[in-house]
Amino acid sequence: MRIIFKTDYMQDLRPWKDGYQLSLYLLLIAAAIVAPFVFDAFFLGELTNVLIWALAGLGLMVLTGHTGQASLGHAAFLALGCYANIILVEAGVPFLIAFPLAGIITGLVGMVIAIPALRLHGIYLAIATMAMSILADDIIVLTEHWTGGVGGKYAPPVNVFGIDVDRWGTPKAFYYLVLGVTILVTLGYINLLRSPLGRSFIAVRDSEVSAQAMGIDVARTKAISFGISCAVTGLAGALMGLFAGAFNNETFSVVISIQLLMMIVIGGLGSIHGAFFGAIIIGFLPQFLSISKEWVGALVGGSNVAIPGLEFGIFGMILIMFILFEPMGIYGRWLKIRTWFELFPFYRKDMFKRQKSYLKTERLR
Amino acid sequence: MSLLELENVTLKFGGLTAVDNLSFSVEEGEVFAIVGPNGAGKSTVFNLISRFYTPVTGSIRFDGHDLLKEKSSRVADFGVARTFQNIELFEQATVLENLLVGRHRHRGSNFLTELFFTPSVRKQELQSRHFVEEIIDFLDLQAYREKRIAGLPYGVRKVVEVARALATDPKLLLLDEPASGLSVEETTDMRWWIDDIRRQMGITVLMVEHDMGLVSGVSDRVLAMADGARLALGTPTEVQSDPAVIEAYLGKAS
Amino acid sequence: MDILQLLISGLANGCVYGLIALGFVLIYKATEAVNFAQGDFMMLGAFVTIGLTNANYMGLPFWIAVPISIAIMALLGYLLDRFVIRFMFGESQTAVVILTIALGFVIRFFAGVIWGHEPQSLQSPFAGKEVAFGGLVLGMEDVAVIVVTILLTWGLYEFFNRTKLGLAMQGASQNQLAAYYMGVPVKRVQGFIWALAGGVACIAGILFAAKGAVDPNTGLMGIKAFAAAVIGGFGSLPGALAGGLIVGVIEPFASRYIAAGYSQVAPYALLLAVLIFRPHGLFSQVRVKKV
């Protein structure tokens, strides 16, 4: 049983509670740094993929998890970041400038889009962003001159501080690039959450009227949240494009938008951990399925049958289970398990019980 | 000059007149209560001051500012804090986080300094925390500091809402039915707190309340309303003995 | 005459959208939940009917198969509410949306496993028959679609606005607790409405499969139907149908008069425009949350 005694306000201001927790996170980062020397190129690629998804998840988490605005259209911003980055690089802008610029462009576009979208609430915002994501597909085809349309584009190799970074040629360098970006974004995210802006996001999520009464400009806060969210998603999109090597209008379809939202729900809405947990599920589920399919195939003695849609089917079932039994996602479950160990043997089942309330309409006649 | 002045304010929802040509003013340092039967337009007056609604005619002035020219979120910046009749807390955040949101109007940092959590942001956060801790002490919320709102009992939530409003360091505190749903002991506590808020903190209080015991115990002046209009205005005893008020509550003696 | 032909086929398509949209609105009206799997319900309904009717499956007569499959889908809707949706009581709308999107994935997966991924058509008595009105030659299935849709919308509209149960359902959606106090069996009402939505989805599926071919991904059409429901104004049954018709008509006209690619773009562009300028739909009144 571990009890944290608080003697100083700084303990609540620091991102970690005590030295024990800090050392755990440092250990995790150390493990991530040595990973390329332990794993083979294939697994490293998978790990890179997970980190990119986590980055995209962090982007959506700002908007959906912390500001409470569900977006089913973030694939459009992934696409925007990806194309902006590649077009800039092709125009001769060094990657180190093009990459953050791609994020900033995506963020600004996101903010502009947010202005009309701000009038929409809940489900209406979700459907509007979804429509946007569907339209993005067509816009890419229509602006063929820049985007290469259906034919798509190929990601050129990029150069960071004189080191060639390429998904296939130098997977280790690419991994470190992604890891570095992810860590920086995560640190920035943590900083925002412990500052007034992060708290105003949560305020807007939980009660718009009282946020307003506390002096928070709701529309402005939502627009900023949209902007940050889209900027981070744009960065993830740029990395995703480099990772995929080739992409066209279908790479960032509306299905990716949906998948991204589901990912952070499984991981746990409203927590940074959730984005990472969700990305791990998304990244490793296909591998896990193909391995278990082989295993079942060997067991039954039949051949290796391909079942189309299996991945999404399983994914859907996992999601339903989580929403029904653990709405706080994997992070929520993780908190419970941790608390159980920390308080052993005093854990009570109702410690995390949520109050259920009757639904009251938001519509008025 | 009065701290808050409403002059000839009228608000209509469709054909219904919710507030009818209402004028009153709240002086600095007093506790001013609004009473009246359900549907009299008491909470609507609060929502007008918070700028959730815009009146058809009239003016609302606070501390030299014309509130009708401002956005809803600016009202708090001038020093008006409020609670809500049906408790509008940030459910998924802790008590401490709720109170810290109250400090938002004193934010001196911007997006970039917060992104890097510069020493100035750190200093501001420590100051906010210090201020909030004083309010936690004042309202005896120490035991709930790290608890999430979602699991708290009703009575505690009511207090947290007052605490969050106080965290904004207001000049005027609007309390919308602070004692509704509270037990007798809790109501007594609330009464002492309101008294202390006025005397120790020097904050002017405007409240809507049904509990006449609480109203006559703490308020200097009382406004009685019915159907959106002013019935009577005066000390608690004067208002309670006003024939128009008695009629509105009990009906006409036939 | 050409335009008229285009209009009629657009209207027939629009009716199918309208019927799916009707399912969305039914559930929204009664429970304030949004069932994103409605399109997949439609697809499943189509496959169930194909499984019962088509010669290569069970080969039952069409008019016997139809009521059976409607009953199956209604039962499925009821069971879904009983064992999944009911646990979401009091959760946020967004949670229900995500749940039903996931449900759509699962339904598509199972439909693919059972009936395969090849497009299939329903062998209906209307197939290939034509009706002539003056100089206008219409496919029998188009006429059937339009007639059935109008009848169904009218029936549901009357049900909601005239019968006690229909009014109870509207009450249940707006304040569950108050509805309980007034003696409305909220849970049973909710189960019934999901069953009803399942049945309506099945009818939409039958009509769709009679006109064209279905495969598991047809369920994604639900997104377009949802757009239609929003365009028409969520919460209004005639609005849903109107939205469906608008989307159905706008598609062929956009591809005819702008460019081929625009038939996909037009409905969503319209949706965005509607959301921005009339956020609550073309045929609906504005609502605000009260403090």
Side-chain angles (χ1 to χ4, degrees):
Chain A
M1 182 165 172
R2 194 162 69 90
I3 299 175
I4 297 160
F5 291 102
K6 290 190 177 162
T7 51
D8 183 5
Y9 293 155
M10 274 315 288
Q11 271 173 297
D12 280 342
L13 264 189
R14 274 189 223 112
W16 57 88
K17 280 200 214 117
D18 54 6
Y20 171 72
Q21 207 181 23
L22 174 67
S23 49
L24 279 187
Y25 284 121
L26 289 179
L27 216 65
L28 189 67
I29 293 176
I33 289 172
V34 297
F37 303 101
V38 181
F39 299 119
D40 59 1
F42 172 76
F43 196 77
L44 196 64
E46 291 301 313
L47 213 56
T48 315
N49 189 28
V50 167
L51 282 178
I52 297 174
W53 272 98
L55 191 61
L58 286 175
L60 187 57
M61 192 65 88
V62 176
L63 188 65
T64 305
H66 282 114
T67 321
Q69 312 296 311
S71 162
L72 277 169
H74 259 49
F77 300 111
L78 283 174
L80 184 59
C82 172
Y83 281 104
N85 177 46
I86 296 297
I87 290 168
L88 286 171
V89 168
E90 281 178 350
V93 180
F95 176 73
L96 272 186
I97 297 170
F99 178 65
L101 208 55
I104 292 169
I105 292 171
T106 317
L108 289 178
V109 170
M111 253 174 158
V112 171
I113 286 175
I115 293 165
L118 285 177
R119 298 176 47 188
L120 307 171
H121 287 263
I123 181 72
Y124 288 97
L125 181 68
I127 190 68
T129 46
M130 190 168 180
M132 213 171 60
S133 184
I134 294 169
L135 285 179
D137 189 324
D138 299 293
I139 291 169
I140 292 171
V141 177
L142 292 175
T143 54
E144 198 176 345
H145 176 64
W146 295 293
T147 61
V150 183
K153 265 189 181 294
Y154 294 91
V158 293
N159 196 293
V160 182
F161 296 126
I163 304 164
D164 270 331
V165 176
D166 177 50
R167 152 98 171 93
W168 300 108
T170 53
K172 281 183 191 170
F174 190 73
Y175 170 78
Y176 282 125
L177 172 71
V178 173
L179 183 66
V181 173
T182 311
I183 290 177
L184 285 180
V185 167
T186 310
L187 289 179
Y189 199 160
I190 292 170
N191 282 344
L192 283 187
L193 281 188
R194 54 187 175 140
S195 322
L197 186 62
R199 283 196 297 269
S200 62
F201 288 165
I202 293 171
V204 168
R205 176 189 71 191
D206 285 358
S207 166
E208 285 188 18
V209 275
S210 64
Q212 230 165 34
M214 294 293 117
I216 294 168
D217 187 334
V218 172
R220 194 160 155 260
T221 306
K222 279 189 192 170
I224 292 173
S225 171
F226 236 101
I228 296 173
S229 168
C230 293
V232 173
T233 311
L235 293 180
L239 292 175
M240 220 174 248
L242 294 181
F243 183 76
F247 47 88
N248 66 357
N249 59 321
E250 282 175 4
T251 314
F252 303 101
S253 67
V254 68
V255 177
I256 301 287
S257 293
I258 296 174
Q259 208 173 353
L260 195 59
L261 182 64
M262 311 236 138
M263 178 186 103
I264 63 169
V265 171
I266 289 185
L269 276 180
S271 70
I272 294 178
H273 293 79
F276 284 92
F277 283 130
I280 290 170
I281 294 282
I282 282 267
F284 288 119
L285 187 66
Q287 263 35 305
F288 172 76
L289 282 183
S290 70
I291 291 167
S292 49
K293 241 189 310 190
E294 269 170 40
W295 187 72
V296 171
L299 206 72
V300 181
S303 60
N304 209 342
V305 273
I307 310 172
L310 177 70
E311 225 172 89
F312 274 110
I314 299 280
F315 189 53
M317 281 185 248
I318 294 177
L319 193 62
I320 292 174
M321 291 299 142
F322 264 108
I323 292 182
L324 288 181
F325 301 114
E326 189 59 87
M328 295 294 290
I330 298 175
Y331 182 61
R333 177 51 51 181
W334 158 254
L335 275 185
K336 282 176 198 171
I337 293 170
R338 203 180 66 187
T339 314
W340 191 86
F341 276 109
E342 280 178 4
L343 293 184
F344 185 81
F346 299 114
Y347 182 82
R348 284 178 296 121
K349 236 186 160 177
D350 57 354
M351 287 183 87
F352 286 92
K353 208 169 175 191
R354 295 169 317 138
Q355 276 194 335
K356 288 221 167 185
S357 58
Y358 284 94
L359 178 121
K360 254 193 162 171
T361 187
E362 297 237 321
R363 25 177 179 149
L364 284 179
R365 282 166 197 261
Chain B
M1 197 184 69
S2 308
L3 187 66
L4 176 76
E5 280 176 274
L6 273 80
E7 226 175 292
N8 305 100
V9 174
T10 299
L11 175 70
K12 288 185 173 145
F13 292 123
L16 179 83
T17 308
V19 174
D20 190 3
N21 201 23
L22 184 72
S23 306
F24 70 92
S25 58
V26 179
E27 305 301 325
E28 195 152 358
E30 72 174 339
V31 174
F32 189 103
I34 303 178
V35 299
N38 287 329
K42 304 179 301 287
S43 289
T44 313
V45 171
F46 273 24
N47 288 339
L48 280 166
I49 300 170
S50 295
R51 296 287 293 107
F52 293 157
Y53 302 141
T54 302
V56 192
T57 59
S59 76
I60 303 176
R61 298 184 62 79
F62 175 77
D63 202 18
H65 303 280
D66 183 357
L67 289 188
L68 295 184
K69 283 190 185 143
E70 304 289 346
K71 280 201 291 188
S72 172
S73 57
R74 289 278 292 153
V75 175
D77 291 344
F78 297 139
V80 181
R82 69 169 289 178
T83 65
F84 293 85
Q85 192 177 346
N86 299 317
I87 304 187
E88 289 275 346
L89 286 166
F90 309 122
E91 289 281 321
Q92 300 304 320
T94 63
V95 169
L96 187 62
E97 285 165 338
N98 267 274
L99 300 200
L100 285 170
V101 172
R103 298 299 298 162
H104 193 271
R105 80 176 179 106
H106 302 280
R107 176 185 178 204
S109 49
N110 59 36
F111 167 66
L112 278 182
T113 53
E114 286 173 12
L115 187 64
F116 296 104
F117 212 74
T118 55
S120 69
V121 176
R122 176 189 310 243
K123 201 171 145 227
Q124 168 190 310
E125 286 304 294
L126 283 173
Q127 277 167 355
S128 295
R129 179 69 193 269
H130 193 75
F131 190 91
V132 161
E133 284 297 332
E134 279 176 7
I135 289 166
I136 289 178
D137 272 352
F138 175 62
L139 292 175
D140 278 333
L141 285 168
Q142 295 91 340
Y144 306 103
R145 192 187 281 125
E146 318 249 308
K147 294 248 164 50
R148 288 206 308 168
I149 304 295
L152 291 181
Y154 186 85
V156 180
R157 290 176 187 220
K158 274 282 346 170
V159 180
V160 174
E161 251 211 333
V162 176
R164 187 182 60 180
L166 286 177
T168 65
D169 196 9
K171 290 197 189 99
L172 174 68
L173 181 63
L174 310 179
L175 298 174
D176 201 345
E177 303 202 7
S180 73
L182 296 188
S183 68
V184 178
E185 292 102 283
E186 286 169 331
T187 308
T188 317
D189 281 347
M190 189 60 85
R191 180 182 160 172
W192 295 125
W193 278 325
I194 294 174
D195 232 26
D196 283 348
I197 288 168
R198 184 247 304 257
R199 284 181 215 289
Q200 290 180 11
M201 301 184 166
I203 296 169
T204 312
V205 177
L206 170 60
M207 69 172 179
V208 165
E209 184 51 64
H210 280 295
D211 187 329
M212 279 316 283
L214 179 65
V215 169
S216 46
V218 294
S219 39
D220 302 306
R221 288 196 297 155
V222 177
L223 167 73
M225 283 176 76
D227 298 322
R230 168 171 157 173
L231 270 188
L233 177 71
T235 62
T237 20
E238 278 168 22
V239 169
Q240 266 173 309
S241 54
D242 190 295
V245 175
I246 295 170
E247 191 192 310
Y249 271 95
L250 300 175
K252 209 175 209 148
S254 49
Chain C
M1 200 43 66
D2 196 30
I3 293 176
L4 209 58
Q5 202 89 40
L6 213 57
L7 187 70
I8 299 282
S9 77
L11 283 179
N13 270 331
C15 282
V16 176
Y17 296 144
L19 279 177
I20 305 174
L22 222 55
F24 278 118
V25 173
L26 273 178
I27 290 178
Y28 184 75
K29 243 174 133 64
T31 68
E32 288 233 331
V34 178
N35 175 23
F36 254 84
Q38 194 67 25
D40 302 286
F41 269 32
M42 182 277 284
M43 174 270 293
L44 197 63
F47 269 121
V48 168
T49 320
I50 287 174
L52 291 171
T53 316
N54 280 16
N56 52 337
Y57 293 105
M58 287 176 70
L60 290 177
F62 181 76
W63 293 113
I64 294 174
V66 165
I68 296 177
S69 44
I70 292 176
I72 291 176
M73 285 306 295
L75 182 68
L76 199 76
Y78 176 76
L79 291 177
L80 201 66
D81 173 61
R82 183 71 190 74
F83 292 106
V84 181
I85 308 294
R86 192 162 293 182
F87 292 97
M88 302 296 293
F89 215 68
E91 297 283 342
S92 76
Q93 265 187 356
T94 317
V96 180
V97 167
I98 294 170
L99 180 87
T100 50
I101 291 178
L103 200 66
F105 282 146
V106 175
I107 293 177
R108 254 169 273 153
F109 166 64
F110 279 113
V113 169
I114 299 172
W115 290 287
H117 288 262
E118 293 299 313
Q120 299 182 44
S121 292
L122 179 66
Q123 294 159 356
S124 73
F126 322 116
K129 288 192 187 141
E130 282 175 345
V131 198
F133 286 106
L136 204 64
V137 181
L138 300 175
M140 182 74 174
E141 56 273 11
D142 285 352
V143 176
V145 168
I146 294 171
V147 170
V148 171
T149 307
I150 291 170
L151 285 178
L152 202 61
T153 312
W154 176 73
L156 288 171
Y157 182 77
E158 289 289 305
F159 169 73
F160 259 99
N161 289 307
R162 296 282 161 83
T163 66
K164 219 171 158 185
L165 185 60
L167 289 170
M169 285 176 179
Q170 297 211 26
S173 83
Q174 286 169 30
N175 190 336
Q176 284 176 341
L177 192 60
Y180 258 128
Y181 290 158
M182 303 323 283
V184 177
V186 174
K187 285 184 179 171
R188 225 184 313 149
V189 162
Q190 196 167 323
F192 176 79
I193 208 81
W194 275 85
L196 194 63
V200 172
C202 188
I203 295 173
I206 293 168
L207 295 174
F208 182 81
K211 266 161 52 68
V214 280
D215 67 272
N217 283 329
T218 308
L220 289 172
M221 214 175 81
I223 297 176
K224 209 179 280 174
F226 185 79
V230 175
I231 289 172
F234 234 64
S236 142
L237 291 168
L241 181 62
L245 293 179
I246 291 173
V247 169
V249 170
I250 208 172
E251 275 186 323
F253 278 89
S255 71
R256 178 74 176 254
Y257 292 104
I258 310 176
Y262 283 90
S263 75
Q264 285 296 316
V265 181
Y268 298 106
L270 178 66
L271 170 67
L272 280 181
V274 166
L275 281 177
I276 290 166
F277 297 110
R278 273 202 68 115
H280 296 275
L282 291 175
F283 309 99
S284 181
Q285 64 282 65
V286 179
R287 319 164 186 117
V288 197
K289 194 191 171 198
K290 194 183 163 190
V291 188

